[in-house]
Amino acid sequence: MRLGLAGAILLIALAPDARADDSACSRNISVVGRAAEARAPDFAEVTVGIEARAPTAAAALDAASKAVAGVTAQARALGVPAADIGTAAVSLQAATRSVSRPGGLTEEPDGYRASNLVSVRLADMGRLGDLLRQALDAGANRIDGVSFGLRDPDRLDAALQVAAARDARGRAVALAEALGVKLGPLCTLGPAGGAPYPLANRTLAAPMAAKGRGVPIEAGTIQMSSEVAATFAVSP
């Protein structure tokens, strides 16, 4: 990791009323250490389903459920475990249509509209395009979004915090050398700039691909970062 002075916060202060137990930190340097890393995601999650209309509530819901059952079967055929397949939403409501009457437009009953959505988490992201294509062939007409993630982001988070702490010390050493002072022990250490955050997330509108053609999907990378604020004592 390259060491630089940019972004470091310099604070050298003398506190005349400092207590004896914190006198070592009365002169200090405060810095912000940073670390970031890009990782390829190890899973993709997609929500697919169908919105169906029919004269009766039962017929509308049955049509939506039949298509979702096909999507679920396709996911299992691709080796997706049952724990990674779950219902995302089910809705049923009366539908209406606008009808022109002598007195103006009126809303009249027009059967029922039902939707059934299922979320699928896929570890083999190379099969995601095939899953989407097969879902459309099974009757799905909604793809609400595709997102990518890490199954164990906490492990990367912890590693980045350690790297950020090392970066903070390196910045403090560089500042102390530039000022001709000696770096002392650590006085304070805490988070800076909020919690680490993932930067890569993608959404996908329902594609209209030619029959049998896989939907092209690019996973990209997920970048996470961490910042820590540290204060070190200094002495002449």
Side-chain angles (χ1 to χ4, degrees):
M1 184 175 298
R2 187 178 62 167
L3 179 65
L5 300 183
I9 301 174
L10 173 62
L11 177 61
I12 301 181
L14 178 61
D17 57 345
R19 301 187 303 273
D21 58 356
D22 63 2
S23 60
C25 292
S26 61
R27 294 168 59 89
N28 58 69
I29 291 176
S30 293
V31 296
V32 174
R34 298 180 176 88
E37 184 174 340
R39 290 274 184 93
D42 52 27
F43 76 84
E45 187 163 321
V46 59
T47 300
V48 297
I50 187 172
E51 184 172 297
R53 297 185 67 161
T56 66
L61 191 58
D62 286 347
S65 300
K66 180 179 179 181
V68 166
V71 172
T72 300
Q74 294 291 351
R76 289 176 177 167
L78 291 175
V80 179
D84 288 341
I85 305 172
T87 298
V90 177
S91 67
L92 175 66
Q93 56 188 350
T96 61
R97 61 175 179 169
S98 297
V99 179
S100 179
R101 299 296 185 188
L105 287 176
T106 61
E107 295 295 319
E108 295 187 356
D110 188 29
Y112 292 84
R113 181 170 59 249
S115 65
N116 194 332
L117 303 175
V118 61
S119 291
V120 179
R121 178 174 289 193
L122 194 65
D124 185 359
M125 288 176 290
R127 306 298 301 276
L128 180 58
D130 293 337
L131 174 64
L132 294 179
R133 179 66 259 168
Q134 292 171 14
L136 295 178
D137 292 341
N141 58 12
R142 285 186 58 177
I143 300 178
D144 280 9
V146 175
S147 62
F148 303 93
L150 301 171
R151 288 188 179 271
D152 190 8
D154 290 342
R155 179 177 298 180
L156 179 57
D157 180 1
L160 287 175
Q161 288 182 353
V162 171
R166 289 172 178 164
D167 181 57
R169 180 167 182 81
R171 292 174 184 270
V173 168
L175 285 172
E177 291 177 352
L179 295 169
V181 295
K182 182 179 179 181
L183 192 68
L186 177 69
C187 298
T188 64
L189 179 67
Y197 54 94
L199 298 181
N201 225 4
R202 303 186 180 191
T203 59
L204 181 72
M208 302 300 291
K211 182 174 178 62
R213 181 181 302 171
V215 179
I217 298 293
E218 298 295 337
T221 59
I222 293 177
Q223 180 172 331
M224 293 185 67
S225 66
S226 182
E227 294 185 348
V228 297
T231 302
F232 295 87
V234 295
S235 58

